[in-house]
Amino acid sequence: MTTAVVPGSPLPSQGDRNVYYILTDDFAYGSKLFPAGSMCFLKERTYLHSIACGTTSTPYMRVTMLEGHSIVTIEAEILQPVNEEEAVFLLAINTLNERLNYFLDRCSLEAAVKATVGQQVMVDLNQQLFTGTIRYVGKITKSPLSSSLCPSYFGVELQGDGEGRGHSDGTYIGSEYFKCKENCGLFLPLNKIRFIPALGGDPAREEPKPDVDEVVPVKVGDTIGFYLDDVFRQGIAMDVYKEGTQWFVKVCPEEEGPTDVFRDIPMDSVVKEGLLSPVFEPDMAPGSLRQLKRERSGSGEELESEKQSLDVNSMVQITLDKGNLVSGIIRWLGYLPKIEPKMAGVELDEEKGVTDGEWLGTRYFHCPSKRGLFVKLQSCQPDMRFQCVSSGLLDPSTCSRIDSPEVLANFPPLRNGTAVSVLQGRMRGIQGHCNSCYMDAALFSLFSCTSVLDSMLFKPSLPPDGHVQKILRDEIVNPLRRNGFVAANSVMHLRQQLTEKGQCSSFATSEKDPEEFLNLIMHHILGIEPLLKLQSGGQKEQECYCYQIFIDKQEELVVPNVQQLVEHSFLSSNLKLVEIPSCFIIQMPRFGKEYKMFSKIIPSLELDLTDLLLDSPRECFVCGDVATQECSECFKDEMFAVTGMKQYCDSCCRQAHSHYRRKAHRPTKLHVPEEFQSRSLMDSPRIPRERMELFAVLCIETSHYVSFVKYGPEKENWLFFDSMADRHGDENGFNIPIVTLCPEVAKYLQLPVAALAMEQSRDMEGVAKRLFCDAYMYMYQSKKMALYK
């Protein structure tokens, strides 16, 4: 078996330096276990010497662990090289599972390497995001060994709402690395930083960066005066730009009322605030001017009271000059220097803005260049396409036509605090409509918090099927990851396309099963490679996308876990996996949608495939040596453990089957790879385990599908999604999708099996009952294999 190298991995260059690696899987060495995500190194001269001696093809490498500095012989297949620039940032992440995730997420790691002092970032503090500026990048501790590596951290100054939430003024253990206000500084590892993606600017308009010998008298935020239709006006400079040799100012006039009508005025036709005088207001007595300001203030208060329902993350529409309507999301609310009305910082859906969230050198929010706009809050109107989010006072007939715009930029899956901030709440997730819950739950599970099947979005497809792929990517997945919401009409658009291309004419209206939808879109339309390759008893290889568990009723399995069910099913059908899948979708045993074979099933957070793989080295379950024989009858023997296939080395097999109760058993020979045939238990490490991690569970109750999605590494990190959790109005109304946190799941995962069996489902907290009692489909991923597929 060969191991592909992640793009960007280093090739060793000559010199007496270290070559660094990260473990992509758990590895046991004697009594020690080195989890996936651990890091190690070897001397470059040792590596070069092995090349010169022609020993680089050996399946093992002798390395030094960065944590603990023990010298270990590790299987080369699970080592991935890391260049030193990346290694220092990975080493700062203490949670090994998260460290491996960031190694696999090339975008975040490459952004960390390129990060510079002064760069704006978002900081994850207790699952909340705050604005910050990088003030320092580097080490803050000394390595105990001169040859070892020091982790690199980001020294960040918190700004805006984050001020006062830090623990430092730029000093750490008596050493000053940067200066900032007290309790505004933090030293953070890579996993607590969110880098803002930058898009290319508009070449037709230059940012207000004048030449060295050219001075621009007006800056963004200045109050200026100008003449419009022979009437003198005042306003705020929203943008300063150059077209050819002429400078212009984009102005928001103060007298335009609740609609922000922007005017583009030549620079030589405006007067800065400091140069204004009463002579420019000849028709107004001082009293009338004060009266006008009071009237404006009063009307502003009335309008502001009408806008109280608008908050950060509200979907809004804004009317610009000439009646042009733009839509966006409020990212910030507050007051700007020198501006009286309450302002909103809006991230627009299109590049029709003037900023990336910065105002007069201070950053208030983050968005791509030319997507940000600061406007008076009273100029924002609730977006008619999303007006169902706000209140029950809206016309249901209007709300039933909710729309969500396409998102053409590609967004990564949501994880940890970002997933919570974007997805949690009412009118979040995918909106259900007309029996769509099977599709809503499947799509939310597959794409909200994982990228394991993102190949469906980008795989080259034939022109007739490219339209389906575009709908899936631009109308469903990207809006879900960017805005946290997908309207029902987007899913209906996909359902209509599936109806046209499928063998069934009722995809747009009828109730279906998730596996029927997945088989159609993966196989018949997008034509992606089957997720599973199976072989039964030496027969021809079989391929499929989902695996249905078939087993007889097992009296000893009162409350089984997924690992046990998969093993029993594979054994009863004499099945083996030909290769490790990147995604393993497993359907639970049922008789129709009503009858469940088990009242409860325990989710296995990890699925161990080691003993289910064809022609893969396996471990004797008695002594740990290389297994040479397998016995299916011993698997059912009550004397042995319930979980785990039963395979033996020759010695243990003879001993186990010397018992009179097992003399009739007929063990079968296992294929042992050549490199393991002469292996000795005493001088070689244990056989590595191949494990997959659970990322989502689909559940069904009374023909309605919901889903649980794991958004982080902790046992408590679960989201519960229901596309039809609530409803507004009657037959002319619409469904309200809801995403909630369900940390109570962890409590039941930690219970002993006997205690869980005695637990009454009606007494289980929150939505935990649905996960344990109504599971229909489990979804597992192998991030290591996703690198290659």
Side-chain angles (χ1 to χ4, degrees):
M1 187 183 295
T2 58
T3 301
V5 176
V6 177
S9 297
L11 291 174
S13 59
Q14 291 188 355
D16 190 19
R17 296 181 299 180
N18 295 332
V19 180
Y20 296 95
Y21 295 90
I22 187 169
L23 275 68
T24 58
D25 208 344
D26 295 347
F27 188 79
Y29 188 78
S31 61
K32 291 185 177 180
L33 176 68
F34 297 98
S38 301
M39 296 182 67
C40 58
F41 70 94
L42 56 77
K43 284 293 181 182
E44 192 172 67
R45 61 171 175 263
T46 306
Y47 185 92
L48 295 174
H49 178 71
S50 66
I51 294 175
C53 296
T55 59
T56 52
S57 60
T58 178
Y60 296 100
M61 295 175 66
R62 193 167 178 80
V63 297
T64 303
M65 305 305 297
L66 280 171
E67 292 113 334
H69 308 290
S70 52
I71 299 175
V72 183
T73 302
I74 291 185
E75 189 171 308
E77 188 180 55
I78 66 169
L79 294 176
Q80 283 282 353
V82 189
N83 63 47
E84 187 170 335
E85 281 185 315
E86 297 173 346
V88 293
F89 291 109
L90 291 172
L91 194 59
I93 303 175
N94 291 325
T95 306
L96 299 184
N97 186 44
E98 240 185 310
R99 180 189 294 174
L100 181 58
N101 288 340
Y102 273 84
F103 168 71
L104 299 175
D105 179 10
R106 305 303 302 169
C107 294
S108 296
L109 194 52
E110 288 168 6
V113 172
K114 296 176 183 176
T116 57
V117 172
Q119 182 176 334
Q120 301 291 323
V121 293
M122 299 299 286
V123 175
D124 184 351
L125 293 179
N126 299 322
Q127 298 187 345
Q128 295 185 64
L129 293 178
F130 298 98
T131 306
T133 301
I134 296 176
R135 299 300 185 195
Y136 172 79
V137 182
K139 61 183 182 180
I140 56 176
T141 57
K142 292 183 179 180
S143 171
L145 295 180
S146 59
S147 61
S148 192
L149 199 66
C150 280
S152 281
Y153 295 85
F154 295 91
V156 179
E157 179 183 0
L158 295 171
Q159 296 167 338
D161 293 339
E163 287 192 13
R165 294 174 181 263
H167 308 295
S168 167
D169 59 356
T171 301
Y172 182 77
I173 313 183
S175 298
E176 183 180 278
Y177 295 93
F178 64 93
K179 289 184 178 180
C180 69
K181 289 188 287 186
E182 192 166 350
N183 293 331
C184 287
L186 281 173
F187 292 92
L188 299 168
L190 164 62
N191 57 319
K192 296 298 182 183
I193 301 291
R194 301 289 179 270
F195 296 99
I196 311 301
L199 300 179
D202 184 357
R205 285 190 173 185
E206 299 178 13
E207 294 292 333
K209 296 178 181 177
D211 297 332
V212 175
D213 52 355
E214 186 175 14
V215 178
V216 181
V218 176
K219 301 190 299 295
V220 173
D222 286 347
T223 300
I224 59 173
F226 61 96
Y227 276 95
L228 183 66
D229 299 328
D230 296 328
V231 178
F232 183 79
R233 306 282 182 89
Q234 286 182 252
I236 305 297
M238 305 301 292
D239 189 21
V240 181
Y241 62 93
K242 188 178 183 181
E243 288 187 353
T245 59
Q246 177 69 51
W247 284 90
F248 289 86
V249 182
K250 183 181 282 292
V251 185
C252 176
E254 292 184 353
E255 290 84 0
E256 295 293 349
T259 299
D260 282 326
V261 179
F262 295 104
R263 307 289 184 182
D264 294 283
I265 310 295
M267 181 71 75
D268 54 12
S269 300
V270 302
V271 181
K272 196 173 176 181
E273 180 183 35
L275 302 176
L276 295 177
S277 68
V279 75
F280 287 105
E281 300 171 353
D283 300 326
M284 286 191 183
S288 61
L289 180 59
R290 287 193 296 271
Q291 178 64 27
L292 175 61
K293 288 182 178 178
R294 280 197 298 271
E295 289 173 0
R296 283 188 197 163
S297 176
S299 62
E301 288 171 7
E302 291 171 13
L303 285 166
E304 204 160 301
S305 66
E306 295 173 7
K307 307 295 179 188
Q308 285 180 357
S309 60
L310 294 180
D311 204 345
V312 174
N313 291 330
S314 292
M315 308 284 189
V316 295
Q317 292 179 321
I318 305 163
T319 303
L320 301 180
D321 54 326
K322 300 180 182 178
N324 290 330
L325 194 68
V326 295
S327 303
I329 304 172
I330 294 179
R331 296 300 190 195
W332 173 85
L333 287 174
Y335 294 90
L336 294 172
K338 303 180 182 179
I339 299 179
E340 290 185 8
K342 189 173 185 179
M343 302 291 287
V346 182
E347 179 182 352
L348 301 178
D349 295 338
E350 305 171 82
E351 290 189 8
K352 293 186 177 180
V354 297
T355 179
D356 62 354
E358 188 174 298
W359 176 272
L360 294 180
T362 301
R363 182 163 298 282
Y364 294 90
F365 66 97
H366 288 270
C367 70
S369 177
K370 302 292 183 183
R371 290 282 186 93
L373 197 62
F374 288 96
V375 296
K376 296 189 285 282
L377 179 59
Q378 66 187 48
S379 302
C380 299
Q381 303 294 329
D383 194 327
M384 297 297 291
R385 300 168 301 171
F386 299 94
Q387 57 180 311
C388 52
V389 179
S390 54
S391 71
L393 303 176
L394 303 172
D395 182 4
S397 63
T398 306
C399 291
S400 63
R401 297 190 297 272
I402 302 167
D403 193 9
S404 56
E406 286 188 2
V407 176
L408 301 181
N410 297 317
F411 287 81
L414 302 164
R415 298 291 294 170
N416 301 316
T418 306
V420 175
S421 61
V422 174
L423 291 173
Q424 183 189 12
R426 289 174 64 83
M427 216 62 184
R428 287 289 180 262
I430 301 174
Q431 186 183 31
H433 175 66
C434 193
N435 298 316
S436 69
C437 61
Y438 71 95
M439 190 178 294
D440 306 329
L443 291 171
F444 187 86
S445 298
L446 288 174
F447 296 109
S448 59
C449 298
T450 180
S451 60
V452 69
L453 286 181
D454 275 15
S455 57
M456 292 174 62
L457 310 177
F458 306 109
K459 176 187 177 293
S461 57
L462 297 174
D465 301 327
H467 187 50
V468 174
Q469 187 181 56
K470 187 177 187 301
I471 295 171
L472 178 64
R473 182 183 63 242
D474 299 341
E475 296 187 26
I476 297 175
V477 177
N478 284 333
L480 177 65
R481 292 174 177 178
R482 178 182 184 268
N483 304 324
F485 174 76
V486 178
N489 69 322
S490 296
V491 179
M492 181 58 75
H493 194 189
L494 177 63
R495 295 171 75 187
Q496 290 166 344
Q497 290 296 312
L498 296 181
T499 297
E500 292 177 13
K501 298 179 180 298
Q503 304 299 318
C504 178
S505 60
S506 57
F507 257 98
T509 55
S510 300
E511 177 186 332
K512 300 289 180 185
D513 293 323
E515 65 272 18
E516 188 177 354
F517 159 60
L518 294 176
N519 280 317
L520 174 62
I521 195 168
M522 288 182 184
H523 177 53
H524 296 287
I525 298 179
L526 299 181
I528 70 170
E529 184 180 343
L531 302 178
L532 299 176
K533 295 182 180 180
L534 303 165
Q535 192 176 94
S536 176
Q539 298 177 7
K540 186 179 177 182
E541 189 177 296
Q542 306 169 40
E543 296 181 335
C544 58
Y545 295 90
C546 305
Y547 177 71
Q548 172 69 63
I549 288 180
F550 293 103
I551 59 171
D552 296 327
K553 182 68 175 178
Q554 306 287 327
E555 296 299 331
E556 68 274 16
L557 295 180
V558 179
V559 181
N561 59 39
V562 179
Q563 180 79 42
Q564 292 172 319
L565 294 175
V566 172
E567 288 176 350
H568 277 79
S569 182
F570 267 57
L571 187 70
S572 63
S573 303
N574 194 20
L575 284 175
K576 292 293 181 185
L577 286 165
V578 176
E579 62 183 25
I580 305 168
S582 59
C583 182
F584 196 176
I585 300 175
I586 308 168
Q587 294 172 244
M588 291 298 100
R590 281 176 174 263
F591 295 123
K593 293 180 181 177
E594 301 301 325
Y595 177 71
K596 297 179 290 188
M597 185 174 286
F598 301 99
S599 60
K600 294 188 187 78
I601 296 175
I602 303 172
S604 298
L605 297 183
E606 282 191 337
L607 191 65
D608 192 333
L609 302 181
T610 311
D611 299 332
L612 305 178
L613 292 170
L614 181 70
D615 295 342
S616 176
R618 293 162 66 180
E619 192 176 85
C620 173
F621 90 102
V622 178
C623 71
D625 204 352
V626 177
T628 57
Q629 300 188 60
E630 180 181 44
C631 184
S632 58
E633 286 100 340
C634 284
F635 179 79
K636 304 169 187 175
D637 195 319
E638 60 186 21
M639 294 294 293
F640 298 122
V642 177
T643 303
M645 308 300 280
K646 303 302 178 283
Q647 62 273 333
Y648 307 88
C649 64
D650 289 335
S651 175
C652 292
C653 188
R654 284 192 300 270
Q655 186 174 353
H657 290 92
S658 64
H659 193 282
Y660 72 93
R661 294 179 57 182
R662 292 187 284 276
K663 282 187 176 181
H665 292 187
R666 294 290 178 264
T668 56
K669 288 278 186 183
L670 293 174
H671 170 78
V672 180
E674 185 177 346
E675 60 266 29
F676 284 86
Q677 289 178 4
S678 59
R679 175 179 178 271
S680 168
L681 178 63
M682 300 301 295
D683 58 10
S684 296
R686 291 171 55 187
I687 292 171
R689 310 300 297 182
E690 299 292 350
R691 294 184 175 92
M692 303 185 76
E693 64 179 54
L694 180 65
F695 69 88
V697 184
L698 266 69
C699 301
I700 184 172
E701 185 181 32
T702 59
S703 297
H704 179 62
Y705 290 94
V706 296
S707 70
F708 289 82
V709 172
K710 205 161 188 307
Y711 67 87
E714 305 301 328
K715 287 186 178 181
E716 297 82 5
N717 295 160
W718 286 91
L719 293 172
F720 173 71
F721 164 64
D722 186 346
S723 65
M724 303 178 182
D726 199 359
R727 187 164 179 84
H728 177 88
D730 46 26
E731 60 190 30
N732 294 320
F734 56 91
N735 291 313
I736 298 176
I738 297 178
V739 179
T740 57
L741 296 177
C742 47
E744 65 273 11
V745 166
K747 169 186 172 181
Y748 298 99
L749 288 172
Q750 295 166 354
L751 283 180
V753 175
L756 186 60
M758 297 297 294
E759 190 80 30
Q760 294 294 321
S761 58
R762 62 176 178 271
D763 297 330
M764 297 179 78
E765 295 177 19
V767 292
K769 173 259 177 187
R770 306 191 73 171
L771 177 63
F772 286 86
C773 303
D774 302 329
Y776 180 86
M777 181 179 281
Y778 284 84
M779 297 180 174
Y780 289 85
Q781 64 180 345
S782 169
K783 293 183 178 178
K784 179 176 70 173
M785 295 308 298
L787 289 170
Y788 317 136
K789 296 190 175 185

